[in-house]
Amino acid sequence: MTAAGPLGLSGGHVGDRAAEEWLDDLLGRLGIPAADVFACTHHVRSPYPHVALSLVLPAGAAVGPADLPPVPA
């Protein structure tokens, strides 16, 4: 599957830095250069305070559900 439009992710991180480092690691494992990704952090209050990410991947980046980490409970 090729991502079309914004993609939302959450690793349950409590700070921006941890979430951004997690995203950088994930992109590295997927072989997607971080410089080619537009990403934003979002401070979410529910169901607990954490940082979520929205991102737009470069055209042609093939990412499927099995490539992404599960969302924490």
Side-chain angles (χ1 to χ4, degrees), residues 16-47:
D16 290 350
R17 185 178 184 109
E20 291 168 358
E21 289 174 354
W22 174 76
L23 176 60
D24 190 52
D25 180 63
L26 175 62
L27 293 173
R29 287 187 276 128
L30 295 173
I32 300 172
D36 294 343
V37 175
F38 180 80
C40 295
T41 57
H42 305 274
H43 293 249
V44 181
R45 294 182 185 173
S46 179

